[in-house]
Amino acid sequence: EVQVLEIRCRKKAAKILEIQPDSVRNYHRYWKEGLHYKKPTPGKTIYNLTLVKDWRLNRDNPDLHAKAVEAYARYSQKLRKRS
């Protein structure tokens, strides 16, 4: 089962990821909005730390990261069906 950890603060996300807050902002160009992060309102970003951490671990192995994304998609679909 996939565990999703969402963080609403870039500084907190950076601390958990052990990177600088500016690095989080710079990584946005590699991440997919709606998957690695979402912007519910202007100026507010929610990070999916489960997928962001996996991307950091596997950014040199896109096939492995794609498997994590697929597992997350299945998990999300199950949650939507329950509600």
Side-chain angles (χ1 to χ4, degrees):
E1 179 133 333
V2 176
Q3 291 183 333
V4 177
L5 177 60
E6 291 186 341
I7 297 293
R8 298 174 185 272
C9 172
R10 182 172 28 129
K11 287 182 182 179
K12 196 176 219 182
K15 186 173 182 174
I16 290 169
L17 296 169
E18 299 177 348
I19 58 176
Q20 295 297 317
D22 286 344
S23 295
V24 173
R25 186 179 48 221
N26 291 335
Y27 284 156
H28 277 225
R29 69 182 128 165
Y30 302 106
W31 298 339
K32 293 182 181 167
E33 187 171 351
L35 189 63
H36 296 96
Y37 69 97
K38 51 189 167 186
K39 293 184 158 273
T41 59
K44 185 173 204 151
T45 305
I46 300 173
Y47 297 94
N48 179 330
L49 288 186
T50 303
L51 289 180
V52 168
K53 282 182 177 182
D54 185 83
W55 176 84
R56 286 197 68 225
L57 287 171
N58 297 306
R59 62 181 158 185
D60 294 329
N61 189 341
D63 292 336
L64 198 53
H65 181 60
K67 287 181 182 182
V69 170
E70 289 168 10
Y72 172 77
R74 286 191 303 274
Y75 173 76
S76 293
Q77 197 170 37
K78 282 183 186 177
L79 288 180
R80 283 193 295 269
K81 286 181 180 179
R82 289 181 191 168
S83 51

